[in-house]
Amino acid sequence: MELHRIPSSTLRDGTSGTSFSYQADQAGSVDDSETGKERPLGEIIKSANHLSDEQIERVLQHQKERGIRFGEAAIELGVASGNDVLWALSQQFHYPYPANSKSLLSSELVTARDPFSFRSEAFRAIRSQLMMQLFTEETGARSLAVVSPDTGDGKTYFSANLAIAFSQLGGRTLLIDADMRNPRQHEVFCVDNTVGLSGVLSGRTLINVIRPVEELPSLYLLPVGAVPPNPLELVERPAFGLLMRELCSKFDYVVVDTPAYVHGTDAPVIAARCDGVLTMVRAGRSRASSLQDLTTALRSVPVRQCGVVMNEY
Protein backbone atom coordinates (compact mmCIF):
# COMPACT_ATOMS: atom_id res chain seq x y z
CA MET A 1 0.00 0.00 0.00
CA GLU A 2 1.19 3.47 -0.80
CA LEU A 3 2.09 6.01 1.83
CA HIS A 4 -0.77 8.41 2.43
CA ARG A 5 -0.22 11.95 3.65
CA ILE A 6 -3.32 13.17 5.41
CA PRO A 7 -3.59 16.96 5.74
CA SER A 8 -3.33 18.68 9.08
CA SER A 9 -7.05 19.34 9.15
CA THR A 10 -7.82 15.63 8.90
CA LEU A 11 -6.34 14.05 12.00
CA ARG A 12 -6.14 15.13 15.58
CA ASP A 13 -6.09 13.59 18.91
CA GLY A 14 -6.41 11.54 19.44
CA THR A 15 -11.73 -17.12 29.35
CA SER A 16 -12.75 -19.40 26.81
CA GLY A 17 -14.52 -19.75 23.52
CA THR A 18 -17.91 -19.30 25.15
CA SER A 19 -20.26 -17.28 22.97
CA PHE A 20 -21.44 -13.99 24.40
CA SER A 21 -24.49 -11.93 23.59
CA TYR A 22 -24.58 -8.31 22.55
CA GLN A 23 -26.93 -5.59 21.37
CA ALA A 24 -26.12 -5.88 17.69
CA ASP A 25 -28.72 -8.33 16.44
CA GLN A 26 -31.51 -5.90 15.57
CA ALA A 27 -29.68 -2.61 15.23
CA GLY A 28 -29.10 -1.66 11.66
CA SER A 29 -32.13 -3.40 10.20
CA VAL A 30 -34.14 -0.46 8.97
CA ASP A 31 -37.44 -0.75 7.19
CA ASP A 32 -37.28 0.24 3.53
CA SER A 33 -39.91 2.89 4.10
CA GLU A 34 -37.56 4.61 6.53
CA THR A 35 -34.52 4.55 4.26
CA GLY A 36 -36.21 6.34 1.39
CA LYS A 37 -36.47 3.35 -0.96
CA GLU A 38 -38.41 4.39 -4.07
CA ARG A 39 -39.42 7.65 -2.37
CA PRO A 40 -39.07 10.89 -4.35
CA LEU A 41 -36.58 13.42 -3.01
CA GLY A 42 -39.37 15.94 -2.48
CA GLU A 43 -41.33 13.53 -0.33
CA ILE A 44 -38.32 12.89 1.90
CA ILE A 45 -37.61 16.62 2.30
CA LYS A 46 -41.29 17.33 2.92
CA SER A 47 -41.49 14.72 5.65
CA ALA A 48 -38.23 15.71 7.34
CA ASN A 49 -38.88 19.48 7.22
CA HIS A 50 -42.64 19.31 7.83
CA LEU A 51 -43.40 21.23 4.65
CA SER A 52 -46.97 21.95 3.63
CA ASP A 53 -48.51 20.95 0.29
CA GLU A 54 -48.52 24.63 -0.63
CA GLN A 55 -44.77 24.91 -0.02
CA ILE A 56 -44.10 21.80 -2.10
CA GLU A 57 -46.21 23.24 -4.92
CA ARG A 58 -44.17 26.46 -4.80
CA VAL A 59 -40.95 24.44 -5.02
CA LEU A 60 -42.23 22.42 -7.98
CA GLN A 61 -43.30 25.61 -9.79
CA HIS A 62 -39.92 27.25 -9.12
CA GLN A 63 -38.17 24.08 -10.30
CA LYS A 64 -40.12 24.16 -13.56
CA GLU A 65 -39.53 27.87 -14.16
CA ARG A 66 -35.79 27.71 -13.46
CA GLY A 67 -35.14 24.31 -15.02
CA ILE A 68 -33.27 23.09 -11.94
CA ARG A 69 -33.43 20.11 -9.61
CA PHE A 70 -36.01 19.90 -6.84
CA GLY A 71 -33.36 20.21 -4.11
CA GLU A 72 -31.84 23.29 -5.70
CA ALA A 73 -35.29 24.90 -5.97
CA ALA A 74 -36.04 24.13 -2.31
CA ILE A 75 -32.77 25.76 -1.25
CA GLU A 76 -33.39 28.86 -3.39
CA LEU A 77 -36.84 29.31 -1.85
CA GLY A 78 -35.44 28.86 1.65
CA VAL A 79 -37.66 25.91 2.61
CA ALA A 80 -34.67 23.55 2.91
CA SER A 81 -30.94 23.86 3.52
CA GLY A 82 -28.10 22.30 1.58
CA ASN A 83 -27.63 19.90 4.46
CA ASP A 84 -31.32 18.90 4.28
CA VAL A 85 -30.92 18.03 0.60
CA LEU A 86 -27.74 16.02 1.21
CA TRP A 87 -29.49 14.12 3.98
CA ALA A 88 -32.47 13.38 1.72
CA LEU A 89 -30.15 12.13 -1.03
CA SER A 90 -28.40 9.89 1.48
CA GLN A 91 -31.77 8.32 2.32
CA GLN A 92 -32.45 7.61 -1.35
CA PHE A 93 -29.07 5.96 -1.83
CA HIS A 94 -29.01 4.20 1.58
CA TYR A 95 -25.94 6.13 2.75
CA PRO A 96 -25.83 6.67 6.55
CA TYR A 97 -25.61 10.40 7.08
CA PRO A 98 -26.87 12.09 10.27
CA ALA A 99 -28.02 15.68 9.84
CA ASN A 100 -25.43 17.88 11.58
CA SER A 101 -28.03 20.00 13.30
CA LYS A 102 -29.57 16.97 14.97
CA SER A 103 -26.67 14.59 15.38
CA LEU A 104 -25.29 13.65 18.77
CA LEU A 105 -22.09 12.26 17.24
CA SER A 106 -18.77 13.84 18.16
CA SER A 107 -17.40 16.46 15.77
CA GLU A 108 -14.27 14.28 15.56
CA LEU A 109 -16.22 11.76 13.48
CA VAL A 110 -15.86 13.66 10.21
CA THR A 111 -16.73 10.69 8.00
CA ALA A 112 -20.17 10.66 9.66
CA ARG A 113 -20.74 14.36 10.29
CA ASP A 114 -19.28 15.63 7.02
CA PRO A 115 -19.07 12.62 4.68
CA PHE A 116 -18.79 14.68 1.50
CA SER A 117 -15.75 16.68 2.60
CA PHE A 118 -12.15 16.43 1.43
CA ARG A 119 -11.18 14.98 4.80
CA SER A 120 -13.72 12.17 4.46
CA GLU A 121 -12.53 11.48 0.93
CA ALA A 122 -9.04 10.82 2.33
CA PHE A 123 -10.45 8.07 4.55
CA ARG A 124 -12.39 6.59 1.64
CA ALA A 125 -9.21 6.52 -0.45
CA ILE A 126 -7.45 4.49 2.24
CA ARG A 127 -10.52 2.25 2.57
CA SER A 128 -10.41 1.59 -1.19
CA GLN A 129 -6.79 0.47 -1.05
CA LEU A 130 -7.52 -1.80 1.89
CA MET A 131 -10.48 -3.29 0.02
CA MET A 132 -8.27 -4.08 -2.97
CA GLN A 133 -5.24 -5.34 -1.07
CA LEU A 134 -6.49 -6.84 2.19
CA PHE A 135 -10.26 -7.34 2.32
CA THR A 136 -10.56 -9.47 -0.80
CA GLU A 137 -12.40 -12.70 -1.53
CA GLU A 138 -9.07 -14.42 -2.01
CA THR A 139 -7.69 -13.52 1.41
CA GLY A 140 -10.96 -13.79 3.31
CA ALA A 141 -9.61 -11.10 5.64
CA ARG A 142 -11.97 -9.46 8.09
CA SER A 143 -9.81 -7.64 10.65
CA LEU A 144 -7.32 -4.76 10.69
CA ALA A 145 -5.21 -3.48 13.59
CA VAL A 146 -4.21 0.21 13.63
CA VAL A 147 -0.91 0.81 15.42
CA SER A 148 1.46 3.73 16.03
CA PRO A 149 4.85 4.28 17.69
CA ASP A 150 3.78 6.98 20.16
CA THR A 151 0.81 8.68 21.77
CA GLY A 152 -0.66 11.65 19.94
CA ASP A 153 -0.18 10.16 16.46
CA GLY A 154 -3.93 10.37 15.74
CA LYS A 155 -4.51 6.61 15.86
CA THR A 156 -7.79 6.66 17.80
CA TYR A 157 -9.28 9.36 15.60
CA PHE A 158 -8.13 7.53 12.48
CA SER A 159 -9.49 4.15 13.65
CA ALA A 160 -12.90 5.64 14.43
CA ASN A 161 -13.27 7.36 11.08
CA LEU A 162 -11.92 4.40 9.12
CA ALA A 163 -14.47 2.13 10.83
CA ILE A 164 -17.25 4.54 9.86
CA ALA A 165 -15.99 4.55 6.27
CA PHE A 166 -16.23 0.75 6.17
CA SER A 167 -19.71 0.80 7.70
CA GLN A 168 -20.84 3.15 4.93
CA LEU A 169 -20.28 0.29 2.49
CA GLY A 170 -23.25 -1.41 4.15
CA GLY A 171 -21.38 -4.32 5.75
CA ARG A 172 -21.59 -4.92 9.49
CA THR A 173 -18.55 -3.18 10.94
CA LEU A 174 -17.12 -3.49 14.44
CA LEU A 175 -14.67 -1.06 16.03
CA ILE A 176 -12.78 -2.62 18.95
CA ASP A 177 -11.06 -0.37 21.46
CA ALA A 178 -8.18 -2.62 22.50
CA ASP A 179 -6.21 0.25 24.02
CA MET A 180 -6.56 -0.96 27.58
CA ARG A 181 -3.96 1.56 28.73
CA ASN A 182 -5.54 4.80 27.56
CA PRO A 183 -8.97 4.07 26.06
CA ARG A 184 -10.84 6.85 24.30
CA GLN A 185 -13.27 5.40 21.77
CA HIS A 186 -16.13 5.38 24.28
CA GLU A 187 -15.65 9.15 24.65
CA VAL A 188 -15.54 9.71 20.90
CA PHE A 189 -18.80 7.78 20.39
CA CYS A 190 -20.40 8.83 23.69
CA VAL A 191 -21.24 5.28 24.79
CA ASP A 192 -21.32 3.64 28.18
CA ASN A 193 -17.96 2.17 29.20
CA THR A 194 -19.05 0.18 32.23
CA VAL A 195 -18.39 -3.16 30.55
CA GLY A 196 -16.29 -4.06 27.54
CA LEU A 197 -13.27 -5.92 26.24
CA SER A 198 -11.45 -6.17 29.57
CA GLY A 199 -14.47 -7.82 31.16
CA VAL A 200 -14.77 -10.37 28.35
CA LEU A 201 -11.08 -11.31 28.44
CA SER A 202 -11.09 -11.64 32.22
CA GLY A 203 -14.23 -13.77 32.12
CA ARG A 204 -16.25 -11.33 34.19
CA THR A 205 -18.91 -10.40 31.64
CA LEU A 206 -20.22 -11.77 28.35
CA ILE A 207 -23.48 -9.84 27.97
CA ASN A 208 -24.21 -6.61 26.10
CA VAL A 209 -20.60 -5.59 25.66
CA ILE A 210 -20.97 -4.49 22.03
CA ARG A 211 -22.80 -1.22 21.51
CA PRO A 212 -24.65 -0.29 18.30
CA VAL A 213 -24.01 3.23 17.07
CA GLU A 214 -27.59 4.38 16.63
CA GLU A 215 -27.01 7.01 13.94
CA LEU A 216 -24.85 4.66 11.86
CA PRO A 217 -26.87 1.45 11.51
CA SER A 218 -24.02 -0.76 10.25
CA LEU A 219 -21.49 0.27 12.91
CA TYR A 220 -20.90 -1.25 16.35
CA LEU A 221 -18.40 -0.51 19.12
CA LEU A 222 -16.73 -2.77 21.65
CA PRO A 223 -15.29 -0.39 24.27
CA VAL A 224 -12.58 -1.27 26.77
CA GLY A 225 -14.70 -1.23 29.89
CA ALA A 226 -12.77 -1.02 33.15
CA VAL A 227 -9.07 -0.31 32.61
CA PRO A 228 -7.26 -3.47 33.84
CA PRO A 229 -3.91 -3.58 35.66
CA ASN A 230 -2.64 -6.30 33.28
CA PRO A 231 -3.54 -5.30 29.70
CA LEU A 232 -0.68 -7.15 28.01
CA GLU A 233 -1.44 -10.40 29.81
CA LEU A 234 -5.11 -10.17 28.79
CA VAL A 235 -4.37 -9.90 25.05
CA GLU A 236 -1.72 -12.63 25.27
CA ARG A 237 -4.21 -15.14 26.60
CA PRO A 238 -5.82 -17.61 24.15
CA ALA A 239 -9.18 -16.00 24.95
CA PHE A 240 -8.30 -12.96 22.85
CA GLY A 241 -7.58 -15.05 19.76
CA LEU A 242 -10.80 -17.01 20.27
CA LEU A 243 -12.72 -13.76 20.67
CA MET A 244 -11.29 -12.30 17.46
CA ARG A 245 -12.21 -15.42 15.50
CA GLU A 246 -15.77 -15.30 16.79
CA LEU A 247 -16.17 -11.59 16.07
CA CYS A 248 -14.75 -11.99 12.56
CA SER A 249 -17.38 -14.64 11.92
CA LYS A 250 -20.13 -12.19 12.90
CA PHE A 251 -18.90 -8.98 11.26
CA ASP A 252 -17.80 -8.09 7.76
CA TYR A 253 -15.10 -5.65 8.91
CA VAL A 254 -13.34 -5.41 12.26
CA VAL A 255 -11.09 -2.42 13.01
CA VAL A 256 -8.96 -2.63 16.17
CA ASP A 257 -7.54 0.42 17.94
CA THR A 258 -4.38 -0.46 19.89
CA PRO A 259 -2.11 1.13 22.53
CA ALA A 260 0.88 3.14 21.30
CA TYR A 261 4.02 1.00 21.07
CA VAL A 262 5.78 3.31 23.52
CA HIS A 263 3.60 1.76 26.25
CA GLY A 264 4.68 -1.81 25.57
CA THR A 265 4.29 -4.69 23.16
CA ASP A 266 0.48 -4.80 23.27
CA ALA A 267 0.14 -3.57 19.67
CA PRO A 268 2.20 -6.36 18.00
CA VAL A 269 0.46 -8.98 20.14
CA ILE A 270 -2.95 -7.62 19.13
CA ALA A 271 -1.90 -7.32 15.49
CA ALA A 272 -0.90 -10.99 15.48
CA ARG A 273 -4.57 -11.85 16.07
CA CYS A 274 -5.67 -9.73 13.07
CA ASP A 275 -5.46 -10.25 9.32
CA GLY A 276 -3.65 -6.99 8.61
CA VAL A 277 -1.98 -4.06 10.33
CA LEU A 278 -1.77 -0.40 9.35
CA THR A 279 0.83 1.88 10.96
CA MET A 280 0.30 5.56 11.73
CA VAL A 281 3.06 8.13 12.19
CA ARG A 282 2.97 11.85 12.77
CA ALA A 283 4.95 14.25 10.58
CA GLY A 284 7.49 16.32 12.47
CA ARG A 285 7.07 14.27 15.63
CA SER A 286 7.53 10.54 15.05
CA ARG A 287 11.17 9.49 15.24
CA ALA A 288 12.63 7.16 12.66
CA SER A 289 14.08 5.00 15.43
CA SER A 290 10.66 4.56 17.07
CA LEU A 291 9.04 3.62 13.76
CA GLN A 292 11.87 1.18 13.05
CA ASP A 293 11.41 -0.46 16.47
CA LEU A 294 7.68 -0.89 15.83
CA THR A 295 8.25 -2.20 12.30
CA THR A 296 10.81 -4.71 13.56
CA ALA A 297 8.37 -5.91 16.22
CA LEU A 298 5.61 -6.32 13.63
CA ARG A 299 7.88 -8.34 11.35
CA SER A 300 8.13 -10.94 14.07
CA VAL A 301 4.38 -11.65 14.07
CA PRO A 302 2.31 -13.42 11.38
CA VAL A 303 0.34 -10.45 10.08
CA ARG A 304 0.20 -8.64 6.75
CA GLN A 305 1.64 -5.12 6.94
CA CYS A 306 -0.62 -2.94 4.83
CA GLY A 307 1.42 0.25 4.87
CA VAL A 308 1.95 3.52 6.67
CA VAL A 309 -0.33 6.56 6.99
CA MET A 310 1.41 9.84 7.75
CA ASN A 311 -0.51 12.41 9.76
CA GLU A 312 0.75 15.87 8.84
CA TYR A 313 -0.90 17.97 11.55
Side-chain angles (χ1 to χ4, degrees):
M1 178 175 298
E2 297 178 358
L3 173 69
H4 282 266
R5 294 180 177 271
I6 296 186
S8 59
S9 60
T10 303
L11 297 182
R12 62 187 175 83
D13 273 329
T15 132
S16 61
T18 305
S19 297
F20 57 92
S21 64
Y22 52 93
Q23 301 174 344
D25 292 332
Q26 299 301 323
S29 68
V30 181
D31 185 82
D32 286 340
S33 63
E34 297 178 356
T35 62
K37 183 177 181 179
E38 298 181 356
R39 294 175 64 195
L41 185 71
E43 182 180 331
I44 300 174
I45 294 177
K46 176 184 177 180
S47 177
N49 291 36
H50 306 290
L51 301 183
S52 65
D53 291 337
E54 181 181 350
Q55 288 175 307
I56 292 296
E57 188 60 36
R58 284 175 51 214
V59 174
L60 290 172
Q61 183 62 33
H62 189 69
Q63 176 188 11
K64 182 178 179 180
E65 292 174 354
R66 298 266 288 121
I68 57 179
R69 294 184 176 90
F70 181 92
E72 294 172 321
I75 294 173
E76 288 189 1
L77 292 178
V79 298
S81 66
N83 193 65
D84 293 331
V85 174
L86 288 175
W87 181 83
L89 286 169
S90 74
Q91 302 307 294
Q92 282 192 320
F93 288 90
H94 310 289
Y95 188 81
Y97 173 51
N100 286 350
S101 60
K102 303 175 183 178
S103 177
L104 299 177
L105 294 176
S106 167
S107 60
E108 293 186 65
L109 303 176
V110 294
T111 46
R113 295 295 299 268
D114 195 10
F116 310 108
S117 66
F118 171 76
R119 294 181 294 171
S120 296
E121 194 61 38
F123 285 104
R124 284 195 287 270
I126 295 172
R127 179 193 67 191
S128 295
Q129 289 204 36
L130 289 169
M131 290 296 295
M132 291 185 289
Q133 298 187 33
L134 177 64
F135 296 106
T136 66
E137 291 184 6
E138 290 75 15
T139 65
R142 295 290 184 91
S143 57
L144 174 75
V146 180
V147 303
S148 71
D150 207 343
T151 58
D153 291 329
K155 176 176 48 57
T156 293
Y157 179 83
F158 178 85
S159 300
N161 281 283
L162 184 63
I164 292 173
F166 275 112
S167 75
Q168 289 168 338
L169 293 174
R172 288 162 60 90
T173 303
L174 174 65
L175 173 61
I176 300 177
D177 191 348
D179 186 352
M180 290 187 284
R181 296 179 184 268
N182 185 32
R184 205 169 71 83
Q185 294 292 1
H186 64 284
E187 297 175 354
V188 174
F189 285 92
C190 299
V191 302
D192 177 61
N193 193 42
T194 305
V195 296
L197 179 64
S198 64
V200 174
L201 297 182
S202 62
R204 293 183 297 112
T205 180
L206 297 173
I207 300 176
N208 294 334
V209 291
I210 294 179
R211 313 290 184 184
V213 179
E214 295 182 3
E215 297 188 60
L216 299 169
S218 295
L219 182 64
Y220 307 88
L221 172 66
L222 173 55
V224 162
V227 176
N230 58 336
L232 180 57
E233 286 76 15
L234 288 181
V235 294
E236 285 183 326
R237 292 175 181 174
F240 183 63
L242 293 172
L243 175 65
M244 287 300 300
R245 284 199 292 272
E246 180 174 353
L247 292 175
C248 286
S249 71
K250 296 179 181 293
F251 291 89
D252 298 294
Y253 309 104
V254 179
V255 178
V256 186
D257 186 12
T258 66
Y261 187 61
V262 69
H263 292 310
T265 59
D266 307 44
V269 171
I270 294 169
R273 305 296 191 272
C274 298
D275 300 311
V277 59
L278 190 63
T279 302
M280 286 210 63
V281 294
R282 179 175 173 182
R285 175 170 174 173
S286 296
R287 294 175 298 174
S289 59
S290 298
L291 177 59
Q292 184 60 52
D293 290 343
L294 174 57
T295 302
T296 300
L298 291 172
R299 285 174 179 166
S300 66
V301 300
V303 63
R304 179 171 181 170
Q305 297 196 48
C306 298
V308 176
V309 174
M310 179 174 287
N311 175 13
E312 292 187 328
Y313 77 94

